[in-house]
Amino acid sequence: MKALITSGGRGTRLRPITNTNNKHLIPIANKPMLFYALEAVAEAGIKEVGVIVGSDTKNEIISALGNGTLWDINITYIEQDEPRGLAHVVKISEPFIGKDNFIFYLGDNMIVGGVKRFIEEFEAYKPDCQLVLARVKDPQRFGVPEIKDGKIISIEEKPAKPKSHYAVTGLYIYDNIIFEAVNNIKPGARGELEISDAHQYLLNKGKVVRYSEITGWWKDTGEPEDLLEANRLVLDRAFELEHRQIEGYVDDSDIAGKVIIGKKTEIINSIIRGPVIIGENISIKDSYIGPYTSIHNNCEICNSEVEYSILMEECRVINVDIRIERSLLGRGASIIRCTGRPRSHRFLIGDQSRVEVV
Ligand code: DAU
């Protein structure tokens, strides 16, 4: 069994963060999203992993992942010139996959509980294709199966009128017949070779398409709100047991709940309410950090309040007297209260940024 993990695509719904960062490297609980996928396949015992990289961001991905020694796997990079669809990703990966079965894992999906059990099911039942479904409130955002008598009878990509409450998640396990499918379909409505059309091709040919339902949690991190929710869920999970790890300096600040504080970080006269992860070399002074917040290395927070947010590296939040909540701050972003006259808001924000003021 090999694995194929995506890190290409456009990430348009996460602009402006994705103008300068590949979406798959956005930190969730201070760890790049893509690392969770690599950990999951490594944990399932897979050694040969193909990572799909877009031509525009491949260097960033390669320098973050290296050759895979961190996970004791071998990574082969497969370059896709343009995001031409998920079935196109499979198509160009045929030389890497060869005759093996493989798990196809969308690198922007966060799945807790690993992938081992899905692989075990595939190996036990030997279908041509094993899909993993999740019950969702908004199926029109996903590939949606129609199910009859416990069997999938059709699959549509982002249908206006979904035929079930299920989403096909970004975790698929295939045998070699998938290559026949991806080589015989045509681009769909958004001009891409759709993976749902490849699945429909298999159904039309009478191939065995099995499914199992995800019981833990799953998140497609398409929108900013999804990232915050994934961050919340990982922080909850990471700290299942009562857990506190403080490597930096904390004065008599009030720390409660599950908290990780990294090296060279100083917490002075502040309140921290976990679950919270605070990285290295950070200064937090006269501030409140509330639950479900991840703060990455080299940030500075002074005289401010932050809760349920993700701060990437080198952010500064200084003297902001309104609590910052449900926010995503990209690398090097600053929010600073200006004193003096005239009293006004001053912004220096990039394309497609969003600021909500009260
Ligand atoms: O997350 C599950 C959904 O993923 C499924 O329900 C849909 O059936 C499936 O089509 C897919 O839909 P999305 O619209 O969410 O896919 P997206 O374009 O966001 O791409 C998913 C991942 O694949 C992401 O890691 C980016 C990468 N990608 C995408 C395309 C289209 C590539 O590497 N190359 C591509 O050409």
Side-chain angles (χ1 to χ4, degrees):
M1 176 78 60
K2 286 179 178 159
L4 200 59
I5 299 179
T6 58
S7 76
R10 292 194 175 90
T12 42
R13 288 168 292 173
L14 289 170
R15 285 180 185 157
I17 303 279
T18 47
N19 286 342
T20 46
N21 299 281
N22 181 299
K23 154 183 177 174
H24 304 82
L25 298 179
I26 293 176
I28 302 293
N30 282 4
K31 184 158 69 178
M33 189 192 304
L34 198 55
F35 284 27
Y36 293 91
L38 290 158
E39 278 167 15
V41 298
E43 190 214 19
I46 295 176
K47 293 286 177 203
E48 291 301 324
V49 180
V51 174
I52 305 297
V53 288
S55 303
D56 47 347
T57 58
K58 68 173 179 185
N59 293 339
E60 209 188 336
I61 296 288
I62 294 171
S63 71
L65 269 46
N67 57 10
T69 38
L70 203 57
W71 303 275
D72 196 21
I73 56 174
N74 296 317
I75 296 181
T76 302
Y77 292 99
I78 301 163
E79 187 168 336
Q80 191 188 27
D81 58 347
E82 285 281 327
R84 298 180 195 274
L86 292 172
H88 179 256
V89 164
V90 173
K91 191 173 167 147
I92 62 171
S93 304
E94 189 170 359
F96 164 73
I97 299 292
K99 295 277 167 249
D100 287 294
N101 296 331
F102 66 105
I103 178 165
F104 184 32
Y105 192 140
L106 304 186
D108 65 346
N109 275 223
M110 296 282 300
I111 297 165
V112 164
V115 297
K116 212 168 165 182
R117 69 187 177 95
F118 302 119
I119 293 175
E120 283 167 0
E121 274 183 45
F122 177 86
E123 282 169 348
Y125 294 97
K126 300 188 171 37
D128 295 297
C129 163
Q130 165 110 12
L131 303 178
V132 177
L133 308 184
R135 205 169 245 280
V136 291
K137 288 197 205 96
D138 47 358
Q140 56 287 345
R141 276 177 62 189
F142 303 98
V144 180
E146 181 183 4
I147 299 173
K148 205 170 164 202
D149 303 328
K151 286 207 163 93
I152 296 181
I153 55 168
S154 74
I155 298 181
E156 287 175 290
E157 185 62 32
K158 300 184 177 56
K161 290 191 183 142
K163 295 202 174 101
S164 72
H165 291 290
Y166 287 102
V168 178
T169 68
L171 192 65
Y172 321 89
I173 311 177
Y174 300 121
D175 68 14
N176 247 247
I177 197 78
I178 192 67
F179 294 115
E180 179 187 318
V182 298
N183 283 311
N184 277 286
I185 57 169
K186 298 270 173 291
R190 52 179 175 171
E192 295 178 0
L193 282 184
E194 299 286 356
I195 201 68
S196 292
D197 292 345
H199 297 149
Q200 185 61 48
Y201 177 94
L202 296 179
L203 290 169
N204 293 345
K205 292 275 165 180
K207 301 294 174 193
V208 183
V209 178
R210 267 193 101 245
Y211 70 89
S212 36
E213 196 176 333
I214 222 153
T215 46
W217 65 262
W218 160 76
K219 202 94 211 125
D220 165 307
T221 56
E223 313 272 345
E225 198 62 41
D226 299 326
L227 293 173
L228 294 172
E229 179 66 357
N231 193 57
R232 182 183 78 76
L233 291 164
V234 172
L235 286 179
D236 253 349
R237 275 287 296 208
F239 300 115
E240 251 176 2
L241 305 168
E242 190 59 39
H243 190 82
R244 185 169 295 176
Q245 185 186 319
I246 299 182
E247 294 183 290
Y249 171 76
V250 180
D251 68 354
D252 55 1
S253 290
D254 174 2
I255 312 259
K258 304 161 189 180
V259 172
I260 291 183
I261 298 173
K263 292 184 190 117
K264 296 193 199 153
T265 285
E266 277 192 354
I267 314 282
I268 309 287
N269 191 35
S270 296
I271 299 169
I272 316 276
R273 295 272 179 269
V276 158
I277 183 164
I278 300 171
E280 298 183 0
N281 196 32
I282 292 166
S283 164
I284 297 180
K285 221 169 137 191
D286 305 322
S287 294
Y288 163 81
I289 310 296
Y292 306 117
T293 303
S294 295
I295 304 173
H296 214 309
N297 302 345
N298 307 317
C299 287
E300 183 185 354
I301 299 175
C302 182
N303 199 22
S304 301
E305 303 190 3
V306 183
E307 187 170 292
Y308 191 62
S309 293
I310 298 174
L311 275 61
M312 293 171 62
E313 284 155 302
E314 292 169 18
C315 289
R316 295 175 73 218
V317 182
I318 313 284
N319 297 332
V320 179
D321 58 3
I322 288 170
R323 182 172 296 182
I324 292 174
E325 221 187 50
R326 287 176 52 220
S327 298
L328 185 58
L329 271 59
R331 260 191 236 157
S334 298
I335 306 180
I336 299 172
R337 185 194 161 100
C338 293
T339 47
R341 302 268 162 195
R343 269 178 58 88
S344 59
H345 293 299
R346 276 167 52 194
F347 303 114
L348 176 65
I349 52 179
D351 299 355
Q352 287 148 325
S353 299
R354 199 178 77 215
V355 175
E356 292 174 17
V357 293
V358 287

